[in-house]
Amino acid sequence: MKYIYLFLLGLNCSFGVAQNDVAKKEIDSLYKEDQFYASITYNVLHHVPDDLAQSGFSLGFHAGFIKDMPVNKRRTVAIGIGLGYSTNSFNQNLLINKNSDNTFEYEIVDEDDFTKNKFSNHLIELPIEFRWRTSTATDYSFWRLYAGFKLGYMLLNNTKYSGDLGNIKYSNIDVFNKFQYGLTLSAGYNTWNFCVYYGLNPIFKEASLSDNTTREMTDIKLGLIFYIL
């Protein structure tokens, strides 16, 4: 009986050690951070004509997956490469209309002459980030600073006008640059993180206004971004 008791005691100790090893292995596992994201932004047009003005809220919604690849032993520095979806609207007073020769013209109109005037788009995006954070294997509330570059391909676009000229709508017109790209930055602590996108190339292919001036209009997006493991 004595030997049986010693055997069971030894078996229990071995099992306890094995459990501790498993727990230790889980804590020390090669964890990754922030692989899913969702954000909402306020969209601002940049490099605009003097008389162009935005009205109401121009919103953007963005979501996707980023592959987190730590590059240091503490796993506080990483490279992220992902795939995402983005939809954006821009409410403003730049009317996009078709001429008799089926070409498009751009004209700034008085805000009192319409109730709605906007263009919107849907993009597939490729974000690339350099990531720094203060996370550990057991701490899920940490500071983060992610800077990078985002390339987008426009799948769909729409323009809508309702006003003195009637209702004017166009879809998938060839006046927008299909490829959009810019710099990104997100920073914050735990749940609350601010994000910025600064567009580097024009939204329109050739934004020639009625006075024959050419403007290279870009966009800036400011908002909140939320990360999920």
Side-chain angles (χ1 to χ4, degrees):
M1 188 71 180
K2 176 181 178 180
Y3 295 106
I4 294 176
Y5 174 77
L6 291 175
F7 173 77
L8 292 175
L9 180 62
L11 184 63
N12 181 64
C13 291
S14 298
F15 182 72
V17 170
Q19 281 187 317
N20 290 334
D21 289 342
V22 170
K24 184 177 180 181
K25 185 176 180 181
E26 289 179 352
I27 293 175
D28 293 338
S29 63
L30 302 179
Y31 72 95
K32 298 178 181 179
E33 297 288 1
D34 300 341
Q35 299 209 89
F36 292 93
Y37 69 90
S39 67
I40 180 172
T41 60
Y42 175 70
N43 300 333
V44 180
L45 293 171
H46 190 42
H47 298 308
V48 299
D50 294 336
D51 296 330
L52 190 144
Q54 290 188 247
S55 57
F57 284 97
S58 299
L59 295 178
F61 299 94
H62 323 270
F65 172 83
I66 294 182
K67 176 67 174 178
D68 187 78
M69 298 176 286
V71 296
N72 67 333
K73 186 176 181 180
R74 293 178 57 197
R75 310 184 78 76
T76 55
V77 179
I79 301 295
I81 301 176
L83 184 66
Y85 165 79
S86 174
T87 178
N88 303 275
S89 65
F90 298 87
N91 297 284
Q92 31 65 47
N93 63 336
L94 181 68
L95 173 63
I96 303 173
N97 203 1
K98 185 180 288 188
N99 293 317
S100 57
D101 59 356
N102 288 328
T103 61
F104 286 91
E105 68 174 359
Y106 310 82
E107 180 183 0
I108 293 177
V109 293
D110 194 302
E111 293 185 56
D112 295 331
D113 296 339
F114 64 87
T115 57
K116 176 187 290 186
N117 186 63
K118 71 175 183 177
F119 60 84
S120 58
N121 57 41
H122 300 263
L123 302 98
I124 293 294
E125 297 184 321
L126 174 66
I128 302 173
E129 296 179 342
F130 177 80
R131 298 175 146 200
W132 172 86
R133 64 274 181 119
T134 60
S135 64
T136 67
T138 57
D139 185 7
Y140 300 104
S141 298
F142 53 86
W143 292 96
R144 57 172 64 81
L145 178 65
Y146 299 163
F149 176 85
K150 183 179 288 185
L151 173 66
Y153 179 78
M154 191 179 298
L155 298 175
L156 300 169
N157 65 69
N158 295 280
T159 67
K160 293 182 180 180
Y161 169 92
S162 297
D164 292 352
L165 300 177
N167 295 321
I168 303 172
K169 297 181 181 180
Y170 299 107
S171 296
N172 298 323
I173 56 178
D174 191 30
V175 301
F176 298 97
N177 277 321
K178 287 288 187 180
F179 286 98
Q180 299 287 317
Y181 54 86
L183 302 177
T184 61
L185 179 69
S186 60
Y189 179 78
N190 198 11
T191 302
W192 298 100
N193 298 274
F194 298 95
C195 62
V196 178
Y197 169 88
Y198 185 88
L200 295 177
N201 71 317
I203 296 174
F204 293 98
K205 289 182 176 180
E206 295 179 355
S208 298
L209 303 180
S210 56
D211 60 357
N212 293 322
T213 61
T214 300
R215 306 287 180 168
E216 294 187 348
M217 192 183 305
T218 60
D219 61 334
I220 299 174
K221 299 169 186 173
L222 309 169
L224 294 174
I225 186 168
F226 304 93
Y227 291 103
I228 307 169
L229 289 178

